Amino acid sequence: MNRRDFLKTSAVAGGSLVLADNTPAAAASAARKDSTAKAVIASTGPRLPDLSPARWIWYPSARTLQNTFILFRREVVLTAKPRRATGWISADSRYRLEVNGQRVQWGPAPSDPRWAEADPLDLTSHLEAGRNVIGVTVLFYGAGDGTWPLGKPGFLFSLEIEQADGHVDRIVSDGEWRALVCRAWRPGRAKRWYLRALQEEFDSRLYPYGWSGTGFQPDGQWLAAMPLTGSPNKPALSTNYYEYMLDLGGGPPNSELRPRSIPLLRESLVPVAKLTETLWLEWHSTPEDYFDFRIPNAFKATREQVAVEAAPGQWRVELDGTRGAALTFEFQEQVVGWPGFDIEAPAGTTIELLVHEAHAPGGPPLINTHFDSWTRFICRDGLNHFETFDYESLRWLQLHIHNAKGPVSVSNIHVRRRVFPWPNEPRAKTSEAPLQRLLDASLNTLNNCAQETLVDGMARERQQYSGDGGHQLHGVHLAFGETRLPARYLSTFSQGMTKEGFFLDCWPAYDRLARLVERQFDLSGWGPILDHGVGFNFDCWSHYLYTGDLDALCEPYPRLLLFAQYLRSLVGADGLLPVEDLGIPSVWIDHAAYKRQRHKQCAFNLYTAAIMQRCLTPMCRAFGDAGQAETTDQFGQDLLRATVRKYWSQQRSLFINNLPWLAEEKAVRTCDRSLATAVLFDQCPGGKTENAVRSLADCPPEMGFSYPANAGWRLWALARAGRADVIVKDLRERWAPMDSVRLNNTLQEDWKAAPDSGAQWSHCAVVPLYIAYHGLLGLKPLAPGFQRYELRPQLADLANLDLTAFTVIGPLNVRAQGPRGNREVTLRLPPSGHGELVLPREEEVELPAASGPVPAGHRRYSLSPGSTVTLHLKQV
């Protein structure tokens, strides 16, 4: 479906939304038809082939307990090795695919259950002549997770096998598959935490080892799989299986199973760096009571040497049958993946595998201080190979070994790391060691947080956010040149729009669905965050500027219009959007920069005004919707005028967050977010930005300072004001000394993060990376897809920087060497696109002049596509 056809067929509940009719009167009429309008979106991307006769199948049952594992097995006999074996696989909630006993892949990616994705299959190299076995372990969460809002159990498989003579056979999910409830994982196991569904306990004594291999003979417990009623081209949510925990029978009226829109992630084995700490635990109660209920004073710890390294990477422990041994290992850096280990031990030996982002040796004996991040394994006699079913984010791994007497040997302690297969190897180099470490930590943070969705932190809830989390898109685009992952993010996040017209801001995840209930009962201050929905407009517009791909905006665009319509309905008598008493939604903006909720109104309205005018309005124009553009631009203008009227101080030439209540509160309060927004989007009356820039640079005590993921707004504004000196100073003194940068090669959530706590040490705050591109290089697209772009290098006293931006028109490299006053800057430009260079007037360069606005005291120059330009600069 092309873009124009898509726009013609987009609809809202209760009446059609014909986007060609964009007058304010038409928008008002649509709103009157249905105040809870919601876009029904047709897929604009690739579609799955017809997967019939494949069927969604499940274990023969009338209900499925939460955290149930089902094994699906199918034998395939081939006369010769196939020329091709490709197809599709999907499951609700997660699957692990094996062929002839070998792990192949894990999935699917987190998705809205109405628009789930099927993963591609390529088993060509895995199938052999003769007997083959396809084995799939499927986990049904059944309880909310940070990657899964809800669903129904089901497994879907479709494989085309092309023989050497061209004949094609199909293996599909149907009643020919055998299914087994795998009680090595006890069905109905409780949730780990509010946003982690699986508290895994695996008893290897009950596991049918070899079941996915050719030598296994299924017994009578393996039943014929039960085909479900429902289209194989719709998700499991659309089948007739009754999901008893949510009382779900039928499926949604509008749903579609879509093909996976990003590549499968890469997996690699990462060994532990070292054994750091060991101790004995003498239990006063049972370990099971402690881990299930976290009862106090459950054990006494004795720190001493417990393990002997019998060989490199192999440790031996002598258990006495009464105590538990705790071995604490660390990795070189924080990673995301599946922790695992080998252990040779007597049957019944029990191991709790605990993971943590940050631990201080000598701290808590058990590192069970991060949202119950543990998995229990129970040994069969002899050698056991254990690996968690779900992935974790960790730098520390602890094994608590107990319930046995005699020698135990552990080895192969590792993480099967998962990383997005980036199309380019990032290049971000500087000779200043602390800053290089900071850039490396930013890149590693993206490896951890930008996988199938863009999450804030994998170790806690693994949820996808816009707002501060959406800023990762800049690093993904520029450092890696990746466009598919951001495009998927635009679709998946936008799908979380409520019928009222606001976004469930961490979609697709369980969080905000649960918060709807909690807000109804006044049990939570957290509701769907409106400012994240505002920021999503920024994400969409930025993606279009980076790529020129308007088709990627087709799905979110009608939803953005409905969200803007919802915001207009909230405007109060003062002409402003409220930040209190909003009902179900909430306004967050930041948790560190504000003393009172009402102090956020200035920032929220400046932000919304700017995004309406600078993002949604040009987006409307890009879609040819002049009427919508006019309505949106007017909305932004009205908000800005009302904000100036209420919060602009003529006396101080600043936006004051508490100006209306200054007589009551006595002390002035400003915030970096309001001041930065006003500078970036020209919102200060009369262009009076001097005091705002001064405050942003000096950080006076009355200015609230945002937490790290939002700190980029201040640095963006300082870059626009030409204060790269403050940016570089900030990177050196505020960012580079972070504990997480030094210890974990990551960026932490808050300015101070304690070890052995619930703090996130690998978080989405990749500000140093994107500010290197936006602030130090001054790189920005002036036209979609970098058809025109600008460079405004500002390096302050940096002696060396080598940075490559992987744009859609080709790599753009800037290399700067030497001190300020005698600096050589070399530009290697993409083969297409019109580049423009902005420099201080004092610089003497032999480049053709270009027209266009420039900051005071600067000139604009034209750059030739594909050229290499070396400049000797004094002021940059």
Side-chain angles (χ1 to χ4, degrees):
M1 181 182 295
N2 63 36
R3 178 164 57 88
R4 285 298 169 192
D5 290 341
F6 168 81
L7 294 176
K8 291 176 183 177
T9 58
S10 295
V12 296
S16 62
L17 173 65
V18 183
L19 297 180
D21 183 2
N22 295 300
T23 63
S29 174
R32 283 193 298 272
K33 287 181 180 178
D34 188 352
S35 62
T36 61
K38 181 181 188 301
V40 177
I41 304 298
S43 175
T44 60
R47 291 176 179 256
L48 283 171
D50 183 1
L51 297 184
S52 301
R55 302 278 299 275
W56 283 99
I57 60 175
W58 195 241
Y59 184 77
S61 57
R63 74 170 187 172
T64 299
L65 304 180
Q66 66 184 27
N67 290 326
T68 288
F69 286 79
I70 306 294
L71 307 183
F72 291 95
R73 189 178 192 274
R74 177 68 186 267
E75 294 189 6
V76 181
V77 178
L78 301 175
T79 57
K81 186 173 180 62
R83 177 191 297 173
R84 175 181 63 86
T86 58
W88 300 94
I89 183 173
S90 190
D92 196 335
S93 308
R94 298 291 181 263
Y95 72 83
R96 182 173 65 203
L97 168 66
E98 301 170 36
V99 175
N100 297 331
Q102 299 299 311
R103 179 190 176 106
V104 176
Q105 66 190 49
W106 190 94
S111 299
D112 186 303
R114 296 164 294 184
W115 296 288
E117 292 185 353
D119 290 341
L121 284 173
D122 189 345
L123 304 186
T124 308
S125 63
H126 298 277
L127 296 175
E128 303 291 342
R131 190 164 169 241
N132 295 267
V133 174
I134 299 169
V136 185
T137 305
V138 177
L139 161 66
F140 178 61
Y141 281 139
D145 185 86
T147 63
W148 187 86
L150 55 82
K152 291 182 180 182
F155 167 59
L156 183 70
F157 187 92
S158 178
L159 184 72
E160 287 189 350
I161 300 177
E162 183 180 352
Q163 310 291 356
D165 62 0
H167 177 73
V168 175
D169 293 315
R170 291 192 68 185
I171 304 297
V172 299
S173 47
D174 56 19
E176 295 298 311
W177 288 66
R178 312 304 288 181
L180 175 76
V181 173
C182 188
R183 293 190 173 273
W185 294 280
R186 177 162 53 87
R189 178 75 188 167
K191 285 179 69 170
R192 172 191 287 189
W193 177 60
Y194 166 56
L195 292 175
R196 289 297 299 273
L198 180 63
Q199 186 87 76
E200 185 177 5
E201 180 175 318
F202 177 81
D203 189 338
S204 64
R205 297 170 299 182
L206 302 177
Y207 190 68
Y209 281 95
W211 70 275
S212 62
T214 56
F216 184 81
Q217 294 297 324
D219 60 20
Q221 292 184 322
W222 288 80
L223 306 182
M226 177 176 67
L228 305 176
T229 300
S231 168
N233 284 72
K234 288 181 176 289
L237 189 66
S238 295
T239 71
N240 68 326
Y241 193 89
Y242 179 65
E243 209 301 281
Y244 80 105
M245 292 186 72
L246 292 172
D247 191 28
L248 297 179
N254 300 289
S255 63
E256 177 186 38
L257 187 64
R258 299 179 176 182
R260 186 180 176 103
S261 52
I262 53 173
L264 293 164
L265 271 63
R266 290 181 181 148
E267 298 179 7
S268 61
L269 293 182
V270 178
V272 292
K274 61 179 179 178
L275 173 63
T276 302
E277 190 176 37
T278 67
L279 46 85
W280 290 111
L281 295 182
E282 183 179 342
W283 287 91
H284 306 317
S285 64
T286 67
E288 290 75 15
D289 284 348
Y290 167 77
F291 282 102
D292 282 348
F293 299 101
R294 276 191 272 123
I295 59 177
N297 305 315
F299 56 82
K300 176 185 176 182
T302 304
R303 298 182 187 277
E304 60 182 70
Q305 188 65 35
V306 167
V308 175
E309 190 167 12
Q314 180 180 355
W315 290 268
R316 183 183 176 91
V317 178
E318 189 74 28
L319 296 175
D320 62 10
T322 62
R323 299 179 296 177
L327 284 63
T328 307
F329 301 87
E330 60 180 293
F331 290 86
Q332 196 67 41
E333 62 183 357
Q334 187 166 347
V335 298
V336 170
W338 295 268
F341 64 100
D342 294 348
I343 182 168
E344 189 164 6
T349 303
T350 302
I351 307 99
E352 279 86 26
L353 182 153
L354 301 93
V355 297
H356 209 301
E357 297 185 81
H359 170 62
L366 284 179
I367 59 173
N368 189 33
T369 53
H370 200 279
F371 305 96
D372 297 292
S373 298
W374 58 266
T375 296
R376 178 174 292 131
F377 297 101
I378 303 172
C379 294
R380 62 173 180 169
D381 191 53
L383 183 62
N384 295 261
H385 305 281
F386 290 134
E387 195 170 273
T388 64
F389 183 84
D390 208 349
Y391 59 87
E392 308 279 4
S393 182
L394 68 151
R395 193 172 87 84
W396 294 84
L397 183 155
Q398 186 178 67
L399 300 178
H400 169 237
I401 310 169
H402 61 101
N403 199 34
K405 184 176 182 179
V408 167
S409 177
V410 294
S411 60
N412 188 30
I413 303 161
H414 67 275
V415 167
R416 185 186 298 273
R417 190 175 192 183
R418 65 193 320 249
V419 174
F420 191 90
W422 306 112
N424 297 288
E425 185 71 25
R427 183 169 185 83
K429 302 294 182 183
T430 178
S431 58
E432 199 166 323
L435 293 185
Q436 184 62 59
R437 189 165 59 229
L438 179 61
L439 292 172
D440 291 343
S442 300
L443 293 168
N444 190 49
T445 298
L446 277 179
N447 280 332
N448 291 342
C449 291
Q451 296 200 343
E452 293 152 325
T453 50
L454 299 176
V455 308
D456 61 343
M458 282 292 187
R460 191 169 66 199
E461 62 262 44
R462 309 188 299 176
Q463 296 187 145
Q464 177 174 262
Y465 286 94
S466 180
D468 43 19
H471 298 336
Q472 293 174 94
L473 291 171
H474 303 301
V476 169
H477 275 293
L478 296 174
F480 294 101
E482 171 58 35
T483 61
R484 297 159 297 179
L485 182 60
R488 183 181 194 271
Y489 159 76
L490 299 187
S491 293
T492 56
F493 183 90
S494 77
Q495 290 162 357
M497 172 169 268
T498 64
K499 293 182 180 296
E500 288 76 18
F502 56 83
F503 290 103
L504 295 171
D505 58 277
C506 55
W507 199 253
Y510 171 73
D511 187 318
R512 294 308 189 260
L513 287 179
R515 299 301 187 199
L516 299 182
V517 176
E518 294 168 9
R519 293 283 282 185
Q520 185 69 32
F521 287 93
D522 296 320
L523 294 174
S524 173
W526 294 102
I529 299 176
L530 293 184
D531 44 286
H532 280 356
V534 173
F536 184 57
N537 288 264
F538 181 59
D539 299 336
C540 291
W541 183 242
S542 295
H543 180 78
Y544 178 49
L545 287 178
Y546 283 134
T547 65
D549 178 15
L550 196 60
D551 287 342
L553 272 59
C554 282
E555 185 163 356
Y557 175 62
R559 293 169 175 148
L560 295 177
L561 296 181
L562 291 171
F563 178 62
Q565 175 182 304
Y566 170 79
L567 290 177
R568 289 196 295 271
S569 74
L570 297 180
V571 173
D574 59 358
L576 293 172
L577 294 167
V579 295
E580 298 177 289
D581 302 322
L582 286 162
I584 297 298
S586 62
V587 170
W588 180 68
I589 290 288
D590 199 85
H591 68 279
Y594 301 95
K595 290 187 174 181
R596 303 182 67 169
Q597 181 67 17
R598 67 188 185 185
H599 295 171
K600 299 178 179 182
Q601 189 178 39
C602 178
F604 181 49
N605 279 270
L606 288 177
Y607 183 40
T608 306
I611 296 305
M612 291 297 110
Q613 292 186 275
R614 299 296 186 90
C615 297
L616 186 53
T617 293
M619 214 181 308
C620 293
R621 294 191 180 114
F623 276 103
D625 300 337
Q628 291 284 6
E630 181 181 349
T631 299
T632 303
D633 184 60
Q634 187 62 54
F635 179 38
Q637 291 183 47
D638 293 343
L639 287 180
L640 178 57
R641 277 194 296 268
T643 310
V644 169
R645 193 163 53 240
K646 187 170 181 179
Y647 290 103
W648 176 258
S649 169
Q650 294 285 358
Q651 178 185 359
R652 295 179 174 85
S653 293
L654 278 177
F655 283 101
I656 306 295
N657 290 353
N658 64 341
L659 188 61
W661 314 283
L662 194 54
E664 171 192 342
E665 297 183 11
K666 309 302 181 187
V668 166
R669 289 294 300 173
T670 63
C671 69
D672 58 352
R673 186 66 175 274
S674 294
L675 303 181
T677 303
V679 170
L680 281 167
F681 298 104
D682 303 307
Q683 293 174 318
C684 296
K688 297 178 180 179
T689 62
E690 296 85 357
N691 289 349
V693 172
R694 186 178 301 112
S695 288
L696 291 169
D698 297 343
C699 298
E702 67 269 14
M703 186 186 79
F705 198 92
S706 295
Y707 91 130
N710 276 335
W713 290 100
R714 169 177 169 264
L715 300 185
W716 274 328
L718 288 169
R720 188 168 195 241
R723 295 302 306 273
D725 58 318
V726 181
I727 295 174
V728 174
K729 183 174 186 288
D730 233 49
L731 295 178
R732 286 178 178 142
E733 299 179 5
R734 195 186 302 274
W735 291 89
M738 279 182 169
D739 287 342
S740 65
V741 173
R742 295 185 301 104
L743 300 175
N744 284 30
N745 195 30
T746 53
L747 293 164
Q748 63 204 45
E749 180 180 20
D750 291 300
W751 295 112
K752 293 185 179 180
D756 298 298
S757 72
Q760 289 202 95
W761 283 58
S762 183
H763 191 257
C764 65
V766 292
V767 175
L769 182 64
Y770 66 72
I771 205 64
Y773 290 100
H774 293 163
L776 303 184
L777 297 193
L779 174 64
K780 64 178 179 180
L782 301 175
F786 279 92
Q787 292 307 304
R788 282 183 61 227
Y789 62 89
E790 178 180 294
L791 283 167
R792 183 192 172 190
Q794 302 179 85
L795 302 175
D797 64 347
L798 273 181
N800 176 280
L801 185 65
D802 184 354
L803 204 58
T804 297
F806 292 97
T807 75
V808 294
I809 58 171
L812 187 160
N813 174 258
V814 177
R815 184 176 184 183
Q817 293 178 296
R820 188 170 186 174
N822 185 25
R823 178 172 285 145
E824 181 180 276
V825 177
T826 300
L827 314 176
R828 294 177 176 85
L829 305 174
S832 63
H834 177 67
E836 298 175 17
L837 181 66
V838 174
L839 293 174
R841 283 184 176 274
E842 293 83 358
E843 302 292 358
E844 298 178 3
V845 298
E846 295 182 2
L847 291 171
S851 60
V854 292
H858 287 68
R859 288 195 180 100
R860 184 178 293 272
Y861 302 92
S862 182
L863 298 169
S864 299
S867 63
T868 297
V869 180
T870 299
L871 305 170
H872 296 278
L873 304 177
K874 300 177 180 179
Q875 299 300 317
V876 167

